[in-house]
């Protein structure tokens, strides 16, 4: 736990952390825990999604905080795809008890560079408009991509993580434009809630591990998890997308 904090701040942080999965306090750094607490406070004060895009080295960092809902990631990744952004890393921490907030950090670039201030403003505005239902992500993407085309070489696997004690869905596919949007759209169609994520892009392949809650924020039994894994695979292959 972070040193040098006031006892009142430590107590507040402990109460805040109880809404996350058990691994959160143990495995997530104190710096990130405090940052998420600050984002939650900002969200509480403004009653609006926190959406910030700032330069971080040679790339840009998108910070997002809001109440977790199954369509969120589809909207966010759809906007990023529409603006032609490359995703380099993903950090996602979602609560599994009320108020069910989710905190996301994405490292992105455009043409290998950090986003200009104007582009960053436009991306943030588009995400906010998408969440409000005023920006039709799917219609905009249909101009750029064939959304009916399936991904190549898709593999999915469901399991219960022995360390995190959460249902997990492993998705692997060949890299291609719109991949992240199609994955998150499939997750939304299955009415799943992502509460943690790991991303690895290597040798032309993308590997995502998504830790999930099922419909109505419930745990997913093994038999249903296998059906979900197959359903997501068929959607990504273009057979049910």
């Amino acid at each position: 736990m972070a040193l040098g904090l006031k006892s009142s701040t430590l107590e507040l942080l402990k109460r805040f952390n109880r809404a996350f999965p058990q691994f959160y306090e143990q495995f997530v750094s104190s710096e990130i825990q405090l940052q998420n607490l600050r984002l939650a406070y900002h969200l509480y004060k403004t009653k609006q999604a926190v959406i910030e895009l700032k330069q971080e080295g040679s790339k840009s960092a998108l910070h997002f905080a809001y109440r977790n809902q199954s369509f969120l990631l589809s909207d966010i990744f759809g906007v990023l795809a529409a603006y032609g952004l490359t995703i380099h890393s993903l950090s996602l921490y979602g609560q599994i008890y009320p108020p069910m907030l989710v905190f996301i950090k994405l490292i992105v670039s455009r043409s290998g560079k950090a986003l200009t201030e104007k582009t960053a403003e436009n991306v943030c505005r588009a995400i906010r408009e998408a969440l409000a239902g005023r920006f039709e992500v799917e219609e905009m993407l249909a101009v750029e991509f064939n959304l009916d085309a399936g991904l190549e070489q898709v593999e999915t696997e469901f399991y219960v993580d022995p360390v995190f004690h959460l249902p997990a869905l492993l998705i692997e596919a060949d890299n291609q434009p719109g991949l992240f949007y199609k994955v998150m759209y499939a997750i939304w169609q299955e009415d799943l809630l992502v509460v943690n994520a790991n991303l690895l892009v290597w040798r032309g392949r993308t590997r995502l591990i998504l830790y999930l809650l099922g419909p109505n924020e419930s745990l997913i039994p093994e038999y249903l998890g296998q059906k979900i894994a197959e359903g997501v695979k068929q959607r990504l292959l273009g057979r049910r997308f």
Side-chain angles (χ1 to χ4, degrees), residues 91-107:
S91 298
L92 186 152
Y93 302 103
Q95 296 176 328
I96 60 173
Y97 303 109
M100 302 295 293
L101 303 180
V102 65
F103 303 87
I104 302 168
K105 180 181 179 182
L106 285 156
I107 300 298

Side-chain angles (χ1 to χ4, degrees), residues 167 190-193 212-220 224 228:
E190 296 287 344
D191 197 19
L192 302 172
L193 204 62
L212 305 164
L213 293 179
N216 301 316
E217 300 161 2
S218 59
L219 290 177
I220 303 170
L224 182 58
I228 288 171

Side-chain angles (χ1 to χ4, degrees), residues 19-84:
F20 289 91
Q22 288 184 347
F23 71 84
Y24 179 80
E25 198 165 36
Q26 182 179 357
F27 292 109
V28 177
S29 72
S30 298
E31 181 183 358
I32 291 175
Q33 290 179 33
L34 285 167
Q35 180 184 62
N36 289 343
L37 179 61
R38 285 192 291 267
L39 290 172
Y41 181 71
H42 185 59
L43 179 58
Y44 170 76
K45 294 287 285 185
T46 64
K47 302 295 191 291
Q48 290 187 329
V50 179
I51 307 169
E52 300 172 349
L53 233 177
K54 299 177 181 177
Q55 186 167 340
E56 191 169 290
S58 60
K59 300 178 177 65
S60 295
L62 171 66
H63 291 274
F64 178 91
Y66 200 46
R67 189 187 185 283
N68 206 351
Q69 297 165 83
S70 60
F71 65 83
L72 280 185
L73 295 179
S74 176
D75 280 353
I76 292 171
F77 282 92
V79 169
L80 301 186
Y83 277 88

